[in-house]
Amino acid sequence: MASRKNTQLQSEEWFGTMLAPGERATLSVVITQSYAGNNISIPVHVWRGEKRGPTVAVTAAVHGDEINGTGAIRRIIREQPFDVVAGTLVLVPVVNILGFEHCERYLPDRRDLNRSFPGSTGGSLASRMAASFFKQVIKRCNYCIDLHTAALRRTNFPNVRADMSDPKLAEFARAFGAELIVESKGPKGSLRASACKIGCHTLILEAGEVWKVEPTVVEYAVRGITNCLQFLKMIDGTLDEPEYRVETNTTTWVRAKQGGFLEFHVAPGDIVDKDAPIATNTDLVGMQRNVVTAPRDGIVLGMTTIPSVAPGDPICHLAFPRTGTLHKISGVHASLSAKTLHERVRGDLARSMLITQADPQSL
Ligand SMILES: [Zn+2]
């Protein structure tokens, strides 16, 4: 017969420290060793609620140069915008500490940590680090929110990526409250795909650029994390619903046909019609070479931030919602107030690009 005592939450061991219900602490997790043979650890903030609930990890900088998520996690730790009342929240500001130390995406052995999960204790440096993190953190979690940015020289309008064929993960991903959800399982060896395989329902947020902590991207990430924790009843409050919702499994990169220098005609988060001008490609003195157009109706998910391109270089990442969806949301999209986070993040991401009207004569 279960005693009353057994139904009450007990202290729990986290990385060598006993944490009582309601306690929070910053702890160290040894992840690998340096060339000098010293232990290398990452800081992990563990926050336990008083009541029973799920264990959720929020991770950032699995790619060591993608630190927008690091900014979001630091804000949660320092400002405590909510109180964890149930379950356990595990906050990891930097997973790939070796890449982070050099402001780089990859590890010193040039491997991608996010293609090395679940890892192996007898494998490469990347594989062993992945195995260590996976065993010590991910295996203890029911859910994970993994925060990324676009790769070098690109930016992303905030979008959630998740395997929407998993009903529990689909609910969790929708709760995040992103306007854009890209349905995908994630590449082999990614933290997301490997975590999902062992029952840790994991989504990623792709937002902004490398090497930056962009204020509105951080705000977007914190709002999404807060929504997810509310959905799981780990914190109090009600969900902040997105301005509209698009779920798609179809995206494509529009690429440069010729080398040249781009003037953009769209910004991240814009809706584009089929054949609408995306960029005008010019030579170095500004004479027009060609106009790059949208292959079909879509939303600008991401863009290059560097205007000089060679043939084949990616210019614009377009998401193609299901037929009729764009028509439904375009009115909402066009009428959004400048005060909404959607519009503020859209404006911020476009701020450092030259965006002009296309020359009507060239179309
Ligand atoms: Zn990444």
Side-chain angles (χ1 to χ4, degrees):
M1 191 176 76
S3 70
R4 183 175 159 75
K5 196 178 168 194
N6 284 344
T7 65
Q8 283 176 346
L9 274 189
Q10 306 291 316
S11 286
E12 213 172 74
E13 190 267 341
W14 280 95
F15 315 123
T17 298
M18 295 304 288
L19 287 184
E23 239 187 320
R24 50 185 291 181
T26 297
L27 306 164
S28 277
V29 179
V30 175
I31 213 82
T32 185
Q33 286 188 340
S34 70
Y35 291 104
N38 299 319
N39 281 347
I40 292 180
S41 57
I42 55 172
V44 177
H45 193 83
V46 182
W47 190 349
R48 294 193 67 203
E50 298 268 2
K51 293 187 277 188
R52 224 170 278 281
T55 300
V56 177
V58 183
T59 52
V62 172
H63 290 130
D65 55 356
E66 299 181 2
I67 57 172
N68 260 324
T70 308
I73 291 172
R74 283 164 52 86
R75 177 179 289 184
I76 293 170
I77 295 170
R78 294 168 72 178
E79 296 180 13
Q80 302 173 36
F82 46 71
D83 192 26
V84 176
V85 293
T88 303
L89 180 61
V90 181
L91 298 165
V92 190
V94 174
V95 177
N96 178 1
I97 193 76
L98 296 181
F100 174 79
E101 291 282 356
H102 296 95
C103 306
E104 283 189 3
R105 177 183 181 88
Y106 300 116
L107 286 160
D109 65 359
R110 305 308 303 158
R111 284 189 167 89
D112 185 340
L113 182 60
N114 209 31
R115 299 293 180 274
S116 306
F117 287 99
S120 142
T121 51
S124 65
L125 167 68
S127 185
R128 287 174 197 225
M129 265 181 78
S132 174
F133 185 73
F134 207 72
K135 182 181 174 200
Q136 294 184 83
V137 178
I138 299 300
K139 281 189 173 169
R140 298 185 67 172
C141 295
N142 307 107
Y143 293 88
C144 176
I145 300 169
D146 188 25
L147 304 168
H148 287 255
T149 74
L152 190 61
R153 301 192 192 100
R154 296 178 196 168
T155 188
N156 279 338
F157 189 77
N159 62 92
V160 158
R161 300 184 185 181
D163 177 4
M164 301 299 275
S165 67
D166 168 359
K168 253 185 142 169
L169 178 53
E171 276 189 310
F172 187 60
R174 289 186 186 114
F176 190 96
E179 286 79 9
L180 299 174
I181 298 179
V182 178
E183 304 166 12
S184 68
K185 288 184 194 299
K188 190 170 181 287
S190 63
L191 173 61
R192 164 162 73 118
S194 306
C196 284
K197 267 191 193 151
I198 61 154
C200 173
H201 307 286
T202 300
L203 63 80
I204 63 168
L205 175 71
E206 284 280 357
E209 286 185 62
V210 297
W211 293 334
K212 289 181 179 174
V213 174
E214 296 165 285
T216 46
V217 170
V218 166
E219 199 179 330
Y220 200 98
V222 172
R223 184 183 72 176
I225 295 161
T226 306
N227 273 340
C228 284
L229 299 178
Q230 280 168 349
F231 169 75
L232 296 173
K233 302 197 176 353
M234 289 172 64
I235 65 175
D236 293 332
T238 51
L239 262 65
D240 204 342
E241 295 288 337
E243 307 292 350
Y244 57 87
R245 202 193 304 277
V246 166
E247 294 177 19
T248 179
N249 59 5
T250 317
T251 70
T252 197
W253 273 97
V254 177
R255 292 176 183 275
K257 291 190 183 72
Q258 295 175 294
F261 206 87
L262 300 173
E263 276 184 27
F264 300 108
H265 307 310
V266 294
D270 281 3
I271 292 180
V272 293
D273 295 330
K274 185 178 187 304
D275 298 327
I278 284 175
T280 299
N281 197 352
T282 65
D283 64 17
L284 287 185
V285 292
M287 302 306 285
Q288 184 173 304
R289 304 195 72 176
N290 66 3
V291 177
V292 180
T293 57
R296 51 191 270 210
D297 297 352
I299 296 185
V300 179
L301 205 57
M303 280 174 63
T304 182
T305 53
I306 182 165
S308 52
V309 283
D313 274 351
I315 295 176
C316 176
H317 195 194
L318 288 178
F320 303 118
R322 291 181 186 86
T323 314
T325 310
L326 272 186
H327 181 69
K328 268 192 227 159
I329 66 156
S330 57
V332 178
H333 198 279
S335 65
L336 287 174
S337 145
K339 288 184 189 158
T340 57
L341 181 52
H342 181 283
E343 288 303 278
R344 287 187 289 117
V345 77
R346 200 157 74 97
D348 282 354
L349 295 181
R351 195 151 291 156
S352 56
M353 298 173 180
L354 176 65
I355 299 174
T356 60
Q357 292 282 339
D359 176 2
Q361 298 203 323
S362 65
L363 300 174

